[in-house]
Amino acid sequence: MTATVETHATRAVVTSSAPRRRPKSRVPGEKRSSILTIVLWVSAGYFLLPLFWLIVASTKDNSSLFSSFGLWFAGENHFIDNLTTLFTTRDGVFVQWIGNTVLYALVAGVGSALLSAAAGYAFAKYDFPGKKFLFAVVLGAIMIPTTALAIPTYLLFAGAGLTNTIWAIILPSLVSPFGVYLMRVYAEEAIPDTLLEAGRLDGASEFRIFWQVALRIMTPGIVTVLLFAIVHTWNNYFLPLIMLTDPDLFPLTLGLAQLQAASEAGGGASAQFSTVITGSLVSIVPLVIVFLYLQKYWTSGLTTGGVKE
């Protein structure tokens, strides 16, 4: 009986002496800014409003596009009819344009990401003659707009007989000065020199160290360059415009522009405004899917960056 009383007394003392958990409170000085919240909501609306309009407009036919309120649905939903017209116009050439765009974007994106990773890794981890000068050239190339290089690029490819081919779109898209700069900064900070020295001591070649060690650490940066390159190639309009003349080689941007020009030139039953709008909506769906799929690599990159050497 005495032992039981002592046990309960001991528990009471321990309970009373244990620190009580206080409810979480805000950090002193931490305030919620109403102005900042409003700015964020306005910014979100600014970016999402065109997408909402595109979704709404794709459900309308040509007549209801101009007779109904632009930011809300009409009485009838013509989305399926617009899709059917889009994929059957000109014997289904829209499918060919999608395939061309996917080919250009994937080949150019993967190639640009790998070349940028290799060049950035070399600038970050090797010393060679002319390193500073070459990197200065890369930084200077970032400042040059791509439109300024359009005519020289066309003349170069015309002299090589590569115009009106898929290589006229893929090869220029492989060069990404910004990607080289980004990968150089990322490799310099993310890859420890001790890890490279350990690989050399184990007898691994420089290519094997880069391919099996460095590339895995650089994955978040490579994915960033890959996404930038895919989006740039997917949305590129001016380069295909001057390089391609065969409609079977057109990407989506040039193909939809051609449909838009036909709609503006025609009238009545020949107008295809709803078809062009629906095609524009379909063209952004793959980019959204790619972004949602690749964002997990950014999350894993942030987790990896939290581990100290």
Side-chain angles (χ1 to χ4, degrees), residues 36 54 59 62 70 79 100 128 136 161 172-173 189 209 211 213 223 227 240 242 267-268 305:
L36 183 58
L54 191 62
T59 63
N62 290 325
F79 181 70
N100 295 337
F128 50 88
S173 302
E189 297 295 331
I209 293 174
W211 188 258
V213 179
V223 169
L227 184 60
I242 65 175

Side-chain angles (χ1 to χ4, degrees), residues 100-235:
N100 295 337
T101 308
V102 171
L103 175 64
Y104 300 152
L106 286 183
V107 176
V110 174
S112 177
L114 291 178
L115 290 176
S116 298
Y121 174 79
F123 276 119
K125 297 302 176 181
Y126 293 108
D127 291 325
F128 50 88
K131 173 181 176 180
K132 293 183 179 180
F133 174 76
L134 290 176
F135 191 68
V137 172
V138 172
L139 293 179
I142 298 176
M143 307 300 175
I144 302 176
T146 55
T147 52
L149 301 176
I151 301 302
T153 303
Y154 173 79
L155 295 176
L156 181 64
F157 276 76
L162 294 177
T163 55
N164 202 31
T165 64
I166 62 174
W167 301 111
I169 308 300
I170 293 175
L171 292 180
S173 302
L174 294 177
V175 181
S176 176
F178 177 75
V180 174
Y181 168 75
L182 181 64
M183 294 310 304
R184 190 256 187 183
V185 174
Y186 190 88
E188 191 171 23
E189 297 295 331
I191 303 176
D193 294 333
T194 54
L195 186 62
L196 303 181
E197 292 297 332
R200 295 186 181 105
L201 291 176
D202 289 339
S205 63
E206 295 296 328
F207 178 79
R208 184 177 180 183
I209 293 174
F210 168 72
W211 188 258
Q212 295 186 352
V213 179
L215 276 185
R216 297 187 180 184
I217 300 176
M218 297 164 63
T219 297
I222 294 174
V223 169
T224 303
V225 176
L226 173 64
L227 184 60
F228 283 163
I230 288 177
V231 172
H232 173 74
T233 308
W234 193 280
N235 295 328

Side-chain angles (χ1 to χ4, degrees), residues 31-102:
K31 297 180 180 180
R32 291 184 178 178
S33 174
S34 301
I35 297 178
L36 183 58
T37 303
I38 294 174
V39 170
L40 289 176
W41 277 107
V42 171
S43 300
Y46 174 78
F47 289 107
L48 293 178
L49 186 61
L51 179 60
F52 178 73
W53 178 88
L54 191 62
I55 294 174
V56 170
S58 64
T59 63
K60 303 177 181 180
D61 58 2
N62 290 325
S63 60
S64 57
L65 274 175
F66 302 98
S67 61
S68 61
F69 180 59
L71 292 178
W72 199 245
F73 302 93
E76 297 182 4
N77 191 333
H78 296 275
F79 181 70
I80 302 299
D81 296 334
N82 292 336
L83 277 180
T84 303
T85 304
L86 176 66
F87 284 97
T88 56
T89 299
R90 301 184 185 180
D91 298 326
V93 70
F94 186 78
V95 178
Q96 180 69 31
W97 293 342
I98 292 178
N100 295 337
T101 308
V102 171

Side-chain angles (χ1 to χ4, degrees), residues 236-278:
N236 198 352
Y237 171 75
F238 191 62
L239 182 64
L241 179 64
I242 65 175
M243 289 291 187
L244 302 178
T245 57
D246 186 1
D248 290 335
L249 296 177
F250 284 178
L252 284 170
T253 51
L254 202 56
L256 290 174
Q258 190 181 68
L259 288 180
Q260 175 67 19
S263 298
E264 293 176 353
S270 63
Q272 296 178 324
F273 294 109
S274 59
T275 304
V276 174
I277 292 174
T278 305

